[in-house]
Amino acid sequence: MPEPTQRQLGEHDSPIEDELEDAFTRMLSEGTQRLHRTWRGVLVTGFFGGTEVALGILAYLSVLNVTHRPLVAGLAFSIGFLALLLGRSELFTEGFIIPVVTVAAKRASPQQLARLWGGTLLANLVGGWVIMWLIMTGFPQLRAQTIESAAHFATAPASAQTLSLALLGGMTITLMTRMQHGTDSVPGRIAAAVAGAFLLAGLQLFHSILDSLLIFGALDTEQAPFGYLDWLRWFSYTVVANVVGGLGFVTLLRLLRSKDRLQEERAEATGDA
């Protein structure tokens, strides 16, 4: 007797499990909308993403300055991820799974993906720099802690350890995005944001946007023992490792898991169905 197929076992007429089908549909719907934004939409959404992460850094620095416990401060940083989630703004590294799945399904072009990545990255940094300047001006008592925290990243050499931390950073935030789109539950999505913040900020993983804003804050004090060239050196290898971690260890596996479903979408998009 032939073994029943996934289409026969599940509620959906799909080659993948019902839960994966629901998550795939949500990602495809959201990704299509995100990738078809205008340049203005990309830049404004990315700018807000940078400002919201910077407010999470304010919470992180405030708690760290009092407790000197990075794990506790990492939980406070979750305010930034919650703002991203509920405010519907955009963080560069969040674009490692949803838009890539959308492009793989031929619902958008690689050029649109490049526009989303490039515009969001630039806008994140600009928006975050502005808010970090305000934070350093408004909270001078946090300047010493900001310099100390930023030096951990800005002065780090490109080594096996730092590259590993950057790979894990890219994996962590991409996994957080995957978890949030794996459920319709708002509490579940909030829990994923808190877990991601705990790992990313609490364990001081290397993240190209989050840690850049810390470095910008330290540079705004004009007392940091490093400069923008040091940031650029650090940023150049961190952003590459974040991309490799997010795409190679999370997104690629998702594409392989949903290969049959992707082929159906590609065929429908190209009129070969």
Side-chain angles (χ1 to χ4, degrees), residues 69-113:
R69 295 179 180 273
L71 292 177
V72 178
L75 292 175
F77 173 74
S78 63
I79 292 172
F81 281 169
L82 290 174
L84 285 172
L85 172 66
L86 301 178
R88 309 301 296 175
S89 51
E90 186 93 37
L91 189 65
F92 167 64
T93 46
E94 285 186 301
F96 290 166
I97 184 165
I98 298 172
V100 171
V101 169
T102 305
V103 172
K106 289 190 176 298
R107 297 300 178 178
S109 68
Q111 291 79 11
Q112 289 172 309
L113 178 62

Side-chain angles (χ1 to χ4, degrees), residues 204-269:
Q204 296 179 309
L205 301 180
F206 280 34
H207 185 267
S208 52
I209 302 300
L210 163 61
D211 303 329
S212 286
L213 303 195
L214 267 177
I215 295 171
F216 291 165
L219 291 170
D220 287 336
T221 69
E222 299 183 352
Q223 299 172 1
F226 46 81
Y228 280 99
L229 288 179
D230 297 300
W231 163 74
L232 187 59
R233 175 195 56 80
W234 171 86
F235 181 80
S236 63
Y237 72 79
T238 299
V239 70
V240 172
N242 282 170
V243 171
V244 172
L247 293 181
F249 291 98
V250 180
T251 303
L252 178 60
L253 296 178
R254 166 64 77 177
L255 293 176
L256 290 175
R257 184 65 186 85
S258 305
K259 179 183 176 182
D260 294 337
R261 186 68 178 83
L262 277 171
Q263 289 178 336
E264 290 183 351
E265 285 293 332
R266 291 167 66 90
E268 181 179 342

Side-chain angles (χ1 to χ4, degrees), residues 13-167:
D13 183 21
S14 173
I16 57 178
E17 290 91 335
D18 289 339
E19 292 83 359
L20 290 177
E21 173 62 27
D22 291 337
F24 182 88
T25 302
R26 279 193 294 270
M27 286 193 292
L28 203 58
S29 175
E30 180 178 333
T32 302
Q33 296 177 59
R34 286 164 66 177
L35 283 163
H36 285 81
R37 287 175 183 154
T38 62
W39 265 111
R40 182 180 64 182
V42 169
L43 294 175
V44 171
T45 308
F47 184 89
F48 279 122
T51 63
E52 289 162 0
V53 169
L55 292 177
I57 292 175
L58 172 59
Y60 172 85
L61 290 170
S62 299
V63 173
L64 186 61
N65 191 50
V66 174
T67 66
H68 303 291
R69 295 179 180 273
L71 292 177
V72 178
L75 292 175
F77 173 74
S78 63
I79 292 172
F81 281 169
L82 290 174
L84 285 172
L85 172 66
L86 301 178
R88 309 301 296 175
S89 51
E90 186 93 37
L91 189 65
F92 167 64
T93 46
E94 285 186 301
F96 290 166
I97 184 165
I98 298 172
V100 171
V101 169
T102 305
V103 172
K106 289 190 176 298
R107 297 300 178 178
S109 68
Q111 291 79 11
Q112 289 172 309
L113 178 62
R115 181 178 64 183
L116 178 70
W117 278 354
T120 301
L121 176 60
L122 176 62
N124 282 167
L125 295 174
V126 173
W129 188 96
V130 170
I131 301 303
M132 290 307 300
W133 182 86
L134 291 175
I135 290 171
M136 291 299 99
T137 303
F139 295 90
Q141 67 271 25
L142 296 179
R143 292 177 182 176
Q145 182 62 68
T146 303
I147 293 172
E148 178 184 341
S149 298
H152 173 73
F153 304 102
T155 61
S159 64
Q161 180 184 12
T162 55
L163 289 174
S164 296
L165 291 172
L167 286 169

